[in-house]
Amino acid sequence: MQTDWEKLRPILTEAVGTTIYLVLLTFVVGGLVGLFLGTALYTTRKGGLLANSPINWVLNVLVNVVRPIPFIILLAALGPITLEVVGTTIGTEAAAFVMIVAASFGIARIVEQNLVTVDPGVIEAARAMGAAPLRIILTLLIPEALGPLILGYTFIIIAIVDMSAMAGTVGGGGLGDFALVYGYQRFDWEVTLVATLIIIAGVQGIQFLGNWTARKVLRR
């Protein structure tokens, strides 16, 4: 079967645009929420800046419950909540909502794990000088862990690209939807291959940029 790229080219272009939209929206919103949750996990632990065992326990349970759920199952499991928030369980916005939830909890654990590597002595010295917790978090804690955090976020954004491909199963659009509808379902392996190669190229670019940025930060 001859692939009609004259007809598919604008559809492919739109699919690439939708994928970029889904990835950027999820990365920005999920990245900020995940940074907040991860910082809260670290600072509310025993001996932390804002030690609070009940809050830490609740956050840990939430992260441990949501994070391991495969994205395709999470799409179905969050259906009622997605319907309440977005008004539908299908389409780009519905997929974006579930992607943000998944990314937020995944990032939270990565942020916490990277903050743990910061020398506690540096934090204690700042506390001894009377620095407020918020100031310590913003000017010491996060900057000290910035290099590893960038690598962690690079890993997550690649996972978000994977999620955007699976969003095609609920009509979320993007390259996953394009490969599924115009490639797999029509037995057009050329379409599937092109969509796959575009995703691979995008992931390689993201990984290179993340590694380069992390190296720049770590050399300071």
Side-chain angles (χ1 to χ4, degrees):
M1 183 179 68
Q2 185 68 30
T3 304
D4 186 0
W5 283 110
E6 197 68 34
K7 179 181 177 182
L8 289 178
R9 193 171 292 110
I11 301 173
L12 174 60
T13 302
E14 183 181 353
V16 171
T18 301
T19 294
I20 293 172
Y21 166 76
L22 282 169
V23 171
L24 286 179
L25 178 64
T26 303
F27 182 67
V28 172
V29 179
L32 291 173
V33 174
L35 180 62
F36 174 80
L37 290 174
T39 304
L41 274 167
Y42 173 76
T43 56
T44 58
R45 60 171 51 199
K46 185 178 180 180
L49 287 169
L50 304 169
N52 189 309
S53 295
I55 290 178
N56 187 263
W57 183 85
V58 170
L59 290 175
N60 262 305
V61 169
L62 283 173
V63 172
N64 289 338
V65 167
V66 176
R67 195 169 65 100
I69 301 176
F71 181 68
I72 196 70
I73 296 176
L74 193 64
L75 279 167
L78 290 183
I81 298 174
T82 305
L83 185 62
E84 286 295 320
V85 174
V86 183
T88 180
T89 57
I90 59 174
T92 304
E93 302 307 321
F97 173 76
V98 182
M99 287 172 65
I100 288 169
V101 172
S104 296
F105 286 97
I107 290 170
R109 189 61 78 192
I110 286 176
V111 169
E112 181 201 20
Q113 290 170 348
N114 283 306
L115 293 181
V116 168
T117 64
V118 177
D119 183 3
V122 177
I123 298 172
E124 286 304 317
R127 294 177 75 174
M129 289 189 291
L134 183 59
R135 184 177 179 183
I136 294 174
I137 291 168
L138 296 178
T139 64
L140 179 62
L141 188 60
I142 293 176
E144 281 289 318
L146 190 56
L149 281 174
I150 290 173
L151 292 175
Y153 271 78
T154 301
F155 172 80
I156 283 293
I157 197 171
I158 291 171
I160 291 171
V161 173
D162 292 342
M163 286 191 283
S164 74
M166 284 186 279
T169 59
V170 292
L175 286 166
D177 186 64
F178 177 79
L180 182 66
V181 174
Y182 298 97
Y184 180 77
Q185 291 179 357
R186 298 184 182 185
F187 301 100
D188 191 334
W189 309 121
E190 185 178 332
V191 169
T192 305
L193 177 62
V194 168
T196 302
L197 289 176
I198 292 173
I199 291 173
I200 291 173
V203 166
Q204 292 300 314
I206 292 167
Q207 188 68 63
F208 173 81
L209 182 60
N211 290 345
W212 179 83
T213 306
R215 282 198 303 270
K216 287 290 184 181
V217 169
L218 289 170
R219 284 175 185 170
R220 289 179 182 178

Short mmCIF file of all heavy atoms in Angstrom, two decimals, residues 27 110-111 114 142-143 145-157 206-218 220:
data_model
loop_
_atom_site.label_atom_id
_atom_site.label_comp_id
_atom_site.label_asym_id
_atom_site.label_seq_id
_atom_site.Cartn_x
_atom_site.Cartn_y
_atom_site.Cartn_z
N PHE A 27 4.95 19.19 31.57
CA PHE A 27 6.25 19.44 32.18
C PHE A 27 6.23 20.68 33.07
O PHE A 27 6.76 20.66 34.18
CB PHE A 27 7.32 19.59 31.10
CG PHE A 27 8.70 19.80 31.65
CD1 PHE A 27 9.35 18.81 32.34
CD2 PHE A 27 9.35 21.01 31.46
CE1 PHE A 27 10.63 19.00 32.86
CE2 PHE A 27 10.63 21.22 31.96
CZ PHE A 27 11.26 20.21 32.67
N ILE A 110 11.39 12.07 42.81
CA ILE A 110 12.72 12.39 42.29
C ILE A 110 13.29 13.61 42.99
O ILE A 110 14.47 13.65 43.35
CB ILE A 110 12.66 12.61 40.76
CG1 ILE A 110 12.47 11.26 40.07
CG2 ILE A 110 13.92 13.29 40.25
CD1 ILE A 110 12.30 11.34 38.57
N VAL A 111 12.46 14.62 43.20
CA VAL A 111 12.90 15.84 43.89
C VAL A 111 13.33 15.49 45.31
O VAL A 111 14.40 15.91 45.77
CB VAL A 111 11.78 16.90 43.92
CG1 VAL A 111 12.14 18.04 44.87
CG2 VAL A 111 11.55 17.45 42.51
N ASN A 114 16.69 13.71 45.41
CA ASN A 114 17.83 14.57 45.10
C ASN A 114 18.12 15.56 46.23
O ASN A 114 19.28 15.90 46.48
CB ASN A 114 17.59 15.33 43.80
CG ASN A 114 17.81 14.46 42.58
OD1 ASN A 114 18.87 13.86 42.42
ND2 ASN A 114 16.83 14.39 41.70
N ILE A 142 17.47 24.04 47.10
CA ILE A 142 17.24 23.76 45.67
C ILE A 142 18.47 24.09 44.82
O ILE A 142 18.87 23.27 43.97
CB ILE A 142 15.98 24.51 45.17
CG1 ILE A 142 14.73 23.91 45.85
CG2 ILE A 142 15.86 24.40 43.65
CD1 ILE A 142 13.44 24.60 45.52
N PRO A 143 19.13 25.25 45.02
CA PRO A 143 20.36 25.50 44.25
C PRO A 143 21.44 24.45 44.44
O PRO A 143 22.15 24.09 43.50
CB PRO A 143 20.81 26.87 44.77
CG PRO A 143 19.55 27.54 45.19
CD PRO A 143 18.73 26.44 45.79
N ALA A 145 21.05 21.31 44.98
CA ALA A 145 20.68 20.06 44.31
C ALA A 145 20.32 20.28 42.84
O ALA A 145 19.79 19.37 42.19
CB ALA A 145 19.49 19.42 45.04
N LEU A 146 20.63 21.46 42.29
CA LEU A 146 20.15 21.82 40.96
C LEU A 146 20.64 20.89 39.86
O LEU A 146 19.86 20.48 38.99
CB LEU A 146 20.55 23.27 40.64
CG LEU A 146 19.91 23.88 39.39
CD1 LEU A 146 18.39 23.81 39.48
CD2 LEU A 146 20.38 25.32 39.20
N GLY A 147 21.93 20.54 39.88
CA GLY A 147 22.47 19.65 38.85
C GLY A 147 21.74 18.31 38.79
O GLY A 147 21.21 17.93 37.73
N PRO A 148 21.68 17.57 39.90
CA PRO A 148 20.93 16.31 39.91
C PRO A 148 19.44 16.50 39.58
O PRO A 148 18.83 15.63 38.96
CB PRO A 148 21.11 15.81 41.35
CG PRO A 148 22.39 16.42 41.80
CD PRO A 148 22.43 17.77 41.16
N LEU A 149 18.87 17.62 40.03
CA LEU A 149 17.46 17.88 39.72
C LEU A 149 17.23 18.01 38.21
O LEU A 149 16.23 17.51 37.69
CB LEU A 149 16.98 19.16 40.43
CG LEU A 149 16.64 19.02 41.91
CD1 LEU A 149 16.33 20.40 42.50
CD2 LEU A 149 15.46 18.08 42.12
N ILE A 150 18.16 18.67 37.53
CA ILE A 150 18.03 18.81 36.08
C ILE A 150 18.06 17.45 35.41
O ILE A 150 17.26 17.17 34.49
CB ILE A 150 19.16 19.72 35.52
CG1 ILE A 150 18.94 21.16 35.98
CG2 ILE A 150 19.21 19.65 34.00
CD1 ILE A 150 20.07 22.10 35.64
N LEU A 151 18.95 16.57 35.85
CA LEU A 151 19.00 15.22 35.30
C LEU A 151 17.71 14.45 35.60
O LEU A 151 17.21 13.71 34.76
CB LEU A 151 20.21 14.46 35.86
CG LEU A 151 21.59 14.97 35.42
CD1 LEU A 151 22.69 14.22 36.14
CD2 LEU A 151 21.74 14.84 33.91
N GLY A 152 17.18 14.65 36.81
CA GLY A 152 15.93 14.00 37.18
C GLY A 152 14.77 14.50 36.34
O GLY A 152 13.94 13.70 35.87
N TYR A 153 14.73 15.79 36.11
CA TYR A 153 13.67 16.36 35.28
C TYR A 153 13.81 15.92 33.82
O TYR A 153 12.82 15.77 33.10
CB TYR A 153 13.68 17.89 35.38
CG TYR A 153 12.82 18.42 36.50
CD1 TYR A 153 13.26 18.40 37.82
CD2 TYR A 153 11.56 18.94 36.24
CE1 TYR A 153 12.47 18.88 38.85
CE2 TYR A 153 10.76 19.42 37.27
CZ TYR A 153 11.22 19.39 38.57
OH TYR A 153 10.41 19.86 39.59
N THR A 154 15.06 15.72 33.37
CA THR A 154 15.28 15.22 32.01
C THR A 154 14.68 13.82 31.87
O THR A 154 14.03 13.52 30.87
CB THR A 154 16.79 15.17 31.70
OG1 THR A 154 17.34 16.48 31.83
CG2 THR A 154 17.03 14.66 30.28
N PHE A 155 14.91 13.00 32.88
CA PHE A 155 14.33 11.65 32.87
C PHE A 155 12.80 11.72 32.82
O PHE A 155 12.16 10.98 32.06
CB PHE A 155 14.78 10.90 34.13
CG PHE A 155 14.09 9.58 34.33
CD1 PHE A 155 14.50 8.45 33.62
CD2 PHE A 155 13.02 9.46 35.21
CE1 PHE A 155 13.86 7.23 33.80
CE2 PHE A 155 12.38 8.25 35.39
CZ PHE A 155 12.80 7.13 34.68
N ILE A 156 12.23 12.63 33.59
CA ILE A 156 10.78 12.74 33.66
C ILE A 156 10.19 13.25 32.34
O ILE A 156 9.15 12.76 31.90
CB ILE A 156 10.36 13.67 34.83
CG1 ILE A 156 10.49 12.93 36.16
CG2 ILE A 156 8.94 14.17 34.66
CD1 ILE A 156 9.51 11.77 36.32
N ILE A 157 10.84 14.23 31.70
CA ILE A 157 10.26 14.77 30.48
C ILE A 157 10.25 13.71 29.38
O ILE A 157 9.36 13.68 28.53
CB ILE A 157 11.00 16.05 30.01
CG1 ILE A 157 10.13 16.81 28.99
CG2 ILE A 157 12.35 15.75 29.43
CD1 ILE A 157 10.66 18.18 28.63
N ILE A 206 16.12 16.02 23.79
CA ILE A 206 15.85 16.36 25.19
C ILE A 206 16.96 15.84 26.09
O ILE A 206 17.43 16.55 26.98
CB ILE A 206 14.48 15.77 25.62
CG1 ILE A 206 13.34 16.49 24.90
CG2 ILE A 206 14.31 15.89 27.14
CD1 ILE A 206 12.01 15.77 25.01
N GLN A 207 17.39 14.59 25.86
CA GLN A 207 18.45 14.00 26.68
C GLN A 207 19.76 14.77 26.54
O GLN A 207 20.45 15.04 27.54
CB GLN A 207 18.66 12.54 26.27
CG GLN A 207 19.61 11.78 27.20
CD GLN A 207 19.01 11.57 28.58
OE1 GLN A 207 18.00 10.91 28.75
NE2 GLN A 207 19.64 12.15 29.60
N PHE A 208 20.09 15.14 25.32
CA PHE A 208 21.32 15.91 25.09
C PHE A 208 21.27 17.26 25.80
O PHE A 208 22.23 17.66 26.47
CB PHE A 208 21.52 16.12 23.59
CG PHE A 208 22.68 17.03 23.26
CD1 PHE A 208 23.98 16.54 23.26
CD2 PHE A 208 22.46 18.37 22.98
CE1 PHE A 208 25.06 17.38 22.97
CE2 PHE A 208 23.53 19.21 22.70
CZ PHE A 208 24.83 18.73 22.69
N LEU A 209 20.14 17.95 25.66
CA LEU A 209 19.99 19.27 26.29
C LEU A 209 20.05 19.15 27.81
O LEU A 209 20.69 19.99 28.49
CB LEU A 209 18.67 19.91 25.86
CG LEU A 209 18.37 21.32 26.40
CD1 LEU A 209 19.45 22.29 25.94
CD2 LEU A 209 17.00 21.78 25.96
N GLY A 210 19.38 18.13 28.37
CA GLY A 210 19.39 17.93 29.82
C GLY A 210 20.78 17.64 30.34
O GLY A 210 21.22 18.21 31.35
N ASN A 211 21.51 16.75 29.66
CA ASN A 211 22.88 16.42 30.08
C ASN A 211 23.80 17.63 29.98
O ASN A 211 24.63 17.87 30.87
CB ASN A 211 23.43 15.29 29.21
CG ASN A 211 22.75 13.95 29.48
OD1 ASN A 211 22.08 13.78 30.49
ND2 ASN A 211 22.91 13.01 28.56
N TRP A 212 23.67 18.38 28.90
CA TRP A 212 24.52 19.56 28.69
C TRP A 212 24.26 20.61 29.77
O TRP A 212 25.19 21.18 30.34
CB TRP A 212 24.24 20.15 27.32
CG TRP A 212 25.03 21.38 27.02
CD1 TRP A 212 26.32 21.46 26.55
CD2 TRP A 212 24.59 22.74 27.14
NE1 TRP A 212 26.71 22.77 26.39
CE2 TRP A 212 25.67 23.58 26.75
CE3 TRP A 212 23.40 23.33 27.55
CZ2 TRP A 212 25.58 24.97 26.75
CZ3 TRP A 212 23.30 24.72 27.56
CH2 TRP A 212 24.39 25.52 27.17
N THR A 213 22.98 20.86 30.09
CA THR A 213 22.63 21.84 31.10
C THR A 213 23.12 21.41 32.48
O THR A 213 23.65 22.21 33.25
CB THR A 213 21.09 22.04 31.15
OG1 THR A 213 20.62 22.37 29.85
CG2 THR A 213 20.73 23.18 32.10
N ALA A 214 22.95 20.13 32.80
CA ALA A 214 23.40 19.60 34.09
C ALA A 214 24.91 19.76 34.25
O ALA A 214 25.40 20.13 35.32
CB ALA A 214 22.98 18.14 34.25
N ARG A 215 25.65 19.47 33.18
CA ARG A 215 27.11 19.60 33.24
C ARG A 215 27.51 21.05 33.50
O ARG A 215 28.43 21.34 34.27
CB ARG A 215 27.75 19.11 31.94
CG ARG A 215 27.85 17.60 31.82
CD ARG A 215 28.84 17.18 30.75
NE ARG A 215 28.49 17.75 29.44
CZ ARG A 215 27.72 17.14 28.56
NH1 ARG A 215 27.20 15.95 28.84
NH2 ARG A 215 27.47 17.70 27.40
N LYS A 216 26.83 21.98 32.83
CA LYS A 216 27.12 23.41 33.03
C LYS A 216 26.89 23.82 34.47
O LYS A 216 27.68 24.57 35.05
CB LYS A 216 26.23 24.24 32.09
CG LYS A 216 26.60 24.19 30.63
CD LYS A 216 27.91 24.93 30.37
CE LYS A 216 28.23 24.97 28.88
NZ LYS A 216 29.50 25.68 28.61
N VAL A 217 25.81 23.35 35.04
CA VAL A 217 25.46 23.70 36.42
C VAL A 217 26.46 23.09 37.40
O VAL A 217 26.91 23.73 38.36
CB VAL A 217 24.02 23.25 36.76
CG1 VAL A 217 23.75 23.37 38.25
CG2 VAL A 217 23.01 24.07 35.96
N LEU A 218 26.81 21.82 37.19
CA LEU A 218 27.70 21.11 38.11
C LEU A 218 29.13 21.65 38.08
O LEU A 218 29.89 21.48 39.04
CB LEU A 218 27.72 19.61 37.76
CG LEU A 218 26.42 18.86 38.10
CD1 LEU A 218 26.46 17.46 37.51
CD2 LEU A 218 26.21 18.80 39.61
N ARG A 220 29.90 24.78 38.08
CA ARG A 220 29.98 26.08 38.75
C ARG A 220 30.64 25.95 40.12
O ARG A 220 30.46 24.97 40.81
CB ARG A 220 28.56 26.66 38.93
CG ARG A 220 27.95 27.12 37.61
CD ARG A 220 26.57 27.67 37.85
NE ARG A 220 25.94 28.08 36.60
CZ ARG A 220 24.70 28.57 36.50
NH1 ARG A 220 23.97 28.70 37.58
NH2 ARG A 220 24.21 28.93 35.34
#
